[in-house]
Structures are given as structure tokens and as C-alpha cells.
Amino acid sequence: MSLKERLQEEMKSAMRAKDKDRLSTIRLMLAELKRVEVDERIELPDERILAILDKMQKQRRDSINQFEQAKREDLAAKERSELEVIAEFLPEPLGEAELNALIDAAIAEVGASSMADMGKVMALVKPKAQGRADMSEISKAVKGRLG
């Protein structure tokens, strides 16, 4: 079952359970996938869906920070609940040891020795870590090793 099909099945389950919050978040995810498919006139593969959901997750984290700074706990709580639903459809997050091993393997494979090689390293790490780790954190870790 593809990720999109799974989302559609979960939407039906949320409808049957009359879970309005979960239903609204799943519809939001499906709407974003549909928007990309229509704009680019393609059928999205699971890897691309993961990238879109990862982006949505990052947007929610940013919103939570902004709402907390503005002392709008009600809005931050809504974003947190959306974040939890989105996270259900992403693969298990990478642990720190796994992430470091992935970065070390990419650096060794590319033969990276300076910051000039960062793009090559990130190009290898990104597809393997998509949806499983925050790309900005990976970028910081790679910079730390190469810099």
C-alpha cells in the first residue's frame, strides 16, 4: 500500500470515528499532495510524499515556536496535535548514532575533506534521512565534521 493510499484509508477511518481534528489534518496533508500533483502534473512517488510531509512537519514546528513566543498556547496546541498526526505517516526518526554513522559513511564515500564537499555529502545523506531527521540538524553536523 502506498503512502497516499494509506492516508486515504486513514481519512476514511477518521470519518467513521468522527475524529474531527485528525480528519482535518489528514485532509490538509492530502490537499497538499493533490496541489503538488496538479501543479507538476505527476503522480507522486512515496519518496516525494515523505519530503512533502517532512516539510509540513517543519512548518508546524516553526509555527509552534512562534505561537509560544506570542503566548498563544491555544494555537500552539492545535499545531502540536497536527504535528503528531503528520508524524504517524513518517518513518521512525533516526537516532543520533544512526545519523552520525550515515554522515560518516557519506563523507568516506565522497572523500570529503573540506566545506567545498558539503553539497556532495548532503546529496548522499538527504535521500536516506528524508522524513527521519531534521535537515538543518544534519547540515550542522556535516559542517561540524568538515569545518
Side-chain angles (χ1 to χ4, degrees):
M1 178 183 290
S2 77
L3 195 50
K4 187 175 178 185
E5 291 169 342
R6 187 172 152 220
L7 273 165
Q8 290 168 335
E9 288 301 314
E10 288 294 325
M11 181 178 72
K12 291 174 189 172
S13 297
M15 282 178 179
R16 287 185 204 109
K18 294 184 179 13
D19 187 347
K20 291 180 183 176
D21 293 335
R22 182 176 174 76
L23 178 61
S24 117
T25 303
I26 293 172
R27 281 183 171 158
L28 225 133
M29 292 188 290
L30 285 169
E32 181 62 18
L33 298 180
K34 189 68 166 174
R35 184 193 64 77
V36 172
E37 285 181 338
V38 168
D39 286 353
E40 298 180 16
R41 294 188 173 111
I42 58 168
E43 185 71 29
L44 290 173
D46 278 355
E47 297 81 35
R48 185 75 191 279
I49 292 173
L50 283 176
I52 292 168
L53 295 180
D54 191 37
K55 181 181 176 186
M56 291 179 77
Q57 194 175 39
K58 184 179 185 315
Q59 289 169 337
R60 297 302 174 290
R61 281 194 217 106
D62 292 343
S63 295
I64 289 168
N65 287 337
Q66 290 174 0
F67 289 141
E68 285 174 346
Q69 288 172 0
K71 303 207 183 322
R72 292 295 311 265
E73 193 53 43
D74 56 326
L75 296 174
K78 183 179 184 326
E79 294 291 319
R80 274 191 215 95
S81 71
E82 287 182 2
L83 189 60
E84 288 174 16
V85 174
I86 293 169
E88 289 177 31
F89 297 95
L90 292 170
E92 190 68 33
L94 287 172
E96 193 172 333
E98 292 173 294
L99 191 56
N100 288 332
L102 191 62
I103 292 170
D104 291 339
I107 288 173
E109 187 176 328
V110 172
S113 58
S114 68
M115 286 300 289
D117 300 319
M118 184 170 172
K120 295 175 189 172
V121 173
M122 288 300 291
L124 283 177
V125 173
K126 189 174 181 176
K128 296 174 185 169
Q130 189 70 54
R132 300 183 69 195
D134 185 1
M135 287 302 146
S136 63
E137 294 301 319
I138 293 173
S139 177
K140 288 177 190 172
V142 171
K143 282 180 187 173
R145 291 213 175 70
L146 295 178

